[in-house]
Amino acid sequence: MNFPLNWRVLSLSLLLVGGTALAADGTPKAAATAHSASMQQRPGHAAIASANFLATNAGLEVLAKGGNAFDAAIAVASTLSVVEPESSGIGGGFMAVLHRAKDGHDVFIDAREAAPAAVNRKDYINPDGSPNRDAALKGPLSAGIPGEPAGLVLIAKRYGRLPLQQSLAPAIRIARDGFQPDARLRGSIAAEQKTLERWPASVAKYLPNGKPPAEGVIWRDPDQARTWELIAAHGDDGFYHGETAQKLVAAVRAAGGNWTLADLASYQAKERTPITVNYHGYRIVTAPPPSSGGVAIAEILNILSGIDLTKMDQAQRVHYIVEAMRRAFRDHNDYLGDPDFVKMPLDMLLSPFYADGLRQGILPDKATPSSMLPRAEAPEPGMHTTHFSIIDADGNMAAVTSTVNYTMGSTFVAEGTGVLLNDEMDDFALVPNKPNVYGLLGSAANAPEPGKRMLSSMSPSIVIGADRTAVIGSPGGSTIITQVLEGILHFIDGESAQQIAAHKRFHHQYLPDEVMVEDGTFDPATSEALTKMGYTLKQRESWGFMNVVTWDRKTNKLDAASDPRRPSGLGKVQ
Ligand code: GLY
């Protein structure tokens, strides 16, 4: 099962000898046509779907002031930092796929956190050699250098129409004037109360009077408002230098962390080339490393493109999708990491010929057991990570997935800044052969190193067809990849934004070797057929929070849908 790299490269080159040549840019004709169609037309109105109605409205407010989808993305992300801090925010990072309508330019924004220079694996290992899960997930040692502020500044400079002051205004206003925390935020604070209680600034912010905020109270965050104001006035300098940087470093070091001013000063958000894959006439633009999401989605779609799923019953269809997921996650574990540090065989992993080989190894009526690596328990996804999708009146698009990692990140607030730090260090392979909180194993490619970005599953994606386009993404830890994949398949099957967001889901990630299933996904006959093929089905309660916008260019209809599993989201067309 676990072929060495050189074997795989050799088999690829053998396959290439007889393979069909792709166009120079790797784009088949159908996709090029879809692309030109999207450039010729503009919707004339806009759609946003996010996890919180205040954030969606912040984006619409900025569009109404003359901003484009990218300014709106800044407004939505910064507002989510205030109103949905359990999932993403100023102390975390994001990944985004942007599509600029006027010239069809697609770009990936990497605002992923980075390890501080003093990162030391020993900090995450107990004296007996077992993983120190607390250090990996709570407190300042669990936090990477935040990328969110730098990423938003970069988007404003290179893609926005408005000054940052205007795009950040809604978040600053809401943080200053206050808002009513929704049930999810109140529940997340209650769930993390014990760890929040360890840090005085976290208590001051999240546990007024020693308790989570009650329903209906107006909750204010003046420290965070001031930090966003500094960013609005000074760009990167408002966070990565000067007063904020000094407060962040002082707070982190006082609580046992190891950040320095140089770590903050050297952080840079990066533009990268997105991964593009063609599937049944659609061009899917998605996240490259340091996300594993786009590579896995491309590998799965390449495997599936040689199979006619429409002619199959549900059990067969699920069988082939799960086998494709299994193989893509195996490669994810083996090869992927930060592209600035690791050489990855992406040409191989993304090649249709490599996928041909993988497809041929799938038995038509039997599960292939995942082997070798020790079994890892994947927990229920919590209230972490957020995704939002935007299409503006000109046809610009933004797919943004943002995170502080696990629910409430590290639970550590740096005093005087309002910044809740992430716990993204756990996304590194901190302890060899031990899984992270999502049950994902990593290899040396994702080992922590100074300045390196930890591997992510975030998979913001744009799907462009001849007549229809979707902007799509989801939170959900390792299940992000498979949830987005299923969303893409449902869109290509003709489903609406509402149907895609509501669709029941399933997941396989190589290890543990089981299909995680949402209640109601399979009818009893399908469950029985899958079990007979050798699959272990395991019910999982909590699934992502998908936010999708779609554009039907034939009818010029925009649609926006927020996942019905979580009631605080809002999809809105304006
Ligand atoms: N922290 C979750 C992810 O980036 O995949």
Side-chain angles (χ1 to χ4, degrees):
M1 279 294 297
N2 222 0
F3 304 118
L5 173 58
N6 52 7
W7 186 93
R8 291 194 215 175
V9 172
L10 175 66
S11 64
L12 170 64
S13 22
L14 291 174
L15 284 164
L16 276 172
V17 174
T20 319
L22 292 172
D25 65 353
T27 314
K29 224 169 166 219
T33 312
H35 175 63
S36 346
S38 80
M39 284 170 59
Q40 283 159 11
Q41 227 181 322
R42 58 195 296 276
H45 49 305
I48 300 180
S50 89
N52 188 287
F53 71 99
L54 291 168
T56 297
N57 287 341
L60 295 172
E61 177 185 326
V62 162
L63 289 176
K65 288 196 172 126
N68 61 17
F70 314 124
D71 300 306
I74 295 166
V76 175
S78 52
T79 302
L80 287 171
S81 175
V82 177
V83 301
E84 198 205 20
E86 70 273 28
S87 301
S88 75
I90 189 167
F94 71 86
M95 294 182 162
V97 173
L98 309 182
H99 172 85
R100 188 170 57 198
K102 71 172 187 217
D103 57 0
H105 177 60
D106 294 319
V107 67
F108 177 73
I109 308 297
D110 169 1
R112 183 68 163 162
E113 298 90 331
V119 62
N120 186 344
R121 254 183 158 165
K122 287 189 187 137
D123 288 334
Y124 307 96
I125 304 178
N126 291 316
D128 67 357
S130 61
N132 183 341
R133 305 298 302 138
D134 191 65
L137 288 167
K138 307 291 175 201
L141 277 176
S142 69
I145 303 300
E148 176 118 352
L152 297 183
V153 171
L154 182 152
I155 289 177
K157 264 193 204 144
R158 299 193 193 161
Y159 296 97
R161 244 185 238 148
L162 298 180
L164 261 179
Q165 278 94 340
Q166 282 194 44
S167 309
L168 293 175
I172 294 169
R173 186 183 66 234
I174 294 167
R176 273 214 186 291
D177 296 350
F179 66 100
Q180 294 185 6
D182 64 14
R184 278 199 310 126
L185 174 52
R186 297 195 313 274
S188 299
I189 294 171
E192 293 297 331
Q193 180 159 354
K194 282 254 157 335
T195 44
L196 289 164
E197 280 169 357
R198 293 188 202 170
W199 331 106
S202 305
V203 174
K205 176 163 169 170
Y206 291 112
L207 300 166
N209 310 316
K211 284 193 290 225
E215 188 176 356
V217 301
I218 300 292
W219 194 48
R220 295 183 178 81
D221 193 348
D223 284 348
Q224 187 173 177
R226 179 162 157 67
T227 301
W228 282 120
E229 275 171 346
L230 289 170
I231 295 166
H234 307 292
D236 283 335
D237 285 354
F239 188 89
Y240 296 93
H241 296 90
E243 177 190 327
T244 310
Q246 278 157 15
K247 284 183 183 167
L248 288 170
V249 169
V252 161
R253 295 187 81 85
N258 54 18
W259 291 13
T260 63
L261 287 172
D263 288 326
L264 284 160
S266 60
Y267 183 86
Q268 282 189 329
K270 296 185 182 181
E271 290 194 45
R272 299 189 191 273
T273 305
I275 284 178
T276 302
V277 56
N278 300 298
Y279 180 79
H280 290 204
Y282 286 81
R283 187 166 65 94
I284 293 112
V285 187
T286 184
S291 171
S292 58
V295 176
I297 287 172
E299 198 174 320
I300 294 167
L301 290 175
N302 282 339
I303 294 172
L304 296 179
S305 66
I307 298 164
D308 190 352
L309 294 173
T310 59
K311 295 228 165 75
M312 295 179 172
D313 64 24
Q314 194 189 25
Q316 270 183 311
R317 184 180 155 106
V318 170
H319 166 58
Y320 278 102
I321 294 173
V322 166
E323 290 307 319
M325 288 175 178
R326 184 198 306 277
R327 284 153 178 81
F329 270 92
R330 181 271 315 272
D331 288 341
H332 160 304
N333 290 342
D334 281 356
Y335 296 132
L336 301 181
D338 181 343
D340 295 338
F341 284 73
V342 184
K343 217 167 146 34
M344 291 171 279
L346 290 186
D347 286 351
M348 176 190 82
L349 295 174
L350 298 174
S351 157
F353 306 109
Y354 176 62
D356 286 346
L358 294 177
R359 190 184 316 113
Q360 279 160 23
I362 301 176
L363 301 167
D365 53 1
K366 249 193 169 45
T368 313
S370 298
S371 59
M372 298 206 340
L373 293 173
R375 190 188 154 95
E377 284 300 326
E380 296 286 327
M383 299 298 178
H384 51 78
T385 310
T386 195
H387 174 85
F388 59 90
S389 297
I390 303 178
I391 299 180
D392 72 14
D394 292 324
N396 296 306
M397 302 177 208
V400 184
T401 312
S402 183
T403 189
V404 286
N405 198 24
Y406 219 62
T407 309
M408 309 286 310
S410 66
T411 68
F412 179 81
V413 173
E415 188 163 358
T417 65
V419 176
L420 173 68
L421 297 185
N422 66 85
D423 59 345
E424 223 73 64
M425 293 300 284
D426 187 60
D427 275 353
F428 278 120
L430 289 176
V431 184
N433 290 325
K434 295 289 180 197
N436 75 356
V437 74
Y438 304 112
L440 290 173
L441 289 161
S443 65
N446 189 33
E449 291 179 54
K452 190 177 178 183
R453 297 173 189 212
M454 56 297 283
L455 198 60
S456 172
S457 299
M458 292 191 283
S459 311
S461 298
I462 297 177
V463 188
I464 302 174
D467 298 323
R468 298 165 67 238
T469 290
V471 183
I472 190 166
S474 178
S478 55
T479 70
I480 291 174
I481 297 170
T482 49
Q483 296 196 61
V484 173
L485 169 87
E486 287 162 43
I488 291 169
L489 292 174
H490 296 143
F491 174 70
I492 291 172
D493 282 349
E495 290 193 3
S496 67
Q498 284 76 12
Q499 287 169 321
I500 296 164
H503 212 109
K504 300 283 185 186
R505 298 175 196 146
F506 60 93
H507 170 80
H508 192 289
Q509 60 180 44
Y510 179 53
L511 288 175
D513 190 354
E514 58 200 17
V515 186
M516 295 163 206
V517 189
E518 183 173 16
D519 190 27
T521 307
F522 305 143
D523 58 36
T526 300
S527 299
E528 197 185 323
L530 289 168
T531 307
K532 273 199 185 131
M533 285 184 211
Y535 290 105
T536 302
L537 307 184
K538 186 169 170 187
Q539 198 166 313
R540 165 180 275 215
E541 298 304 326
S542 167
W543 290 81
F545 195 160
M546 195 171 269
N547 286 294
V548 188
V549 297
T550 57
W551 174 21
D552 186 326
R553 281 191 294 281
K554 269 195 176 153
T555 57
N556 203 23
K557 183 172 181 297
L558 282 179
D559 230 336
S562 193
D563 203 312
R565 291 165 185 81
R566 314 259 179 103
S568 51
L570 178 66
K572 206 162 163 182
V573 178
Q574 174 173 277

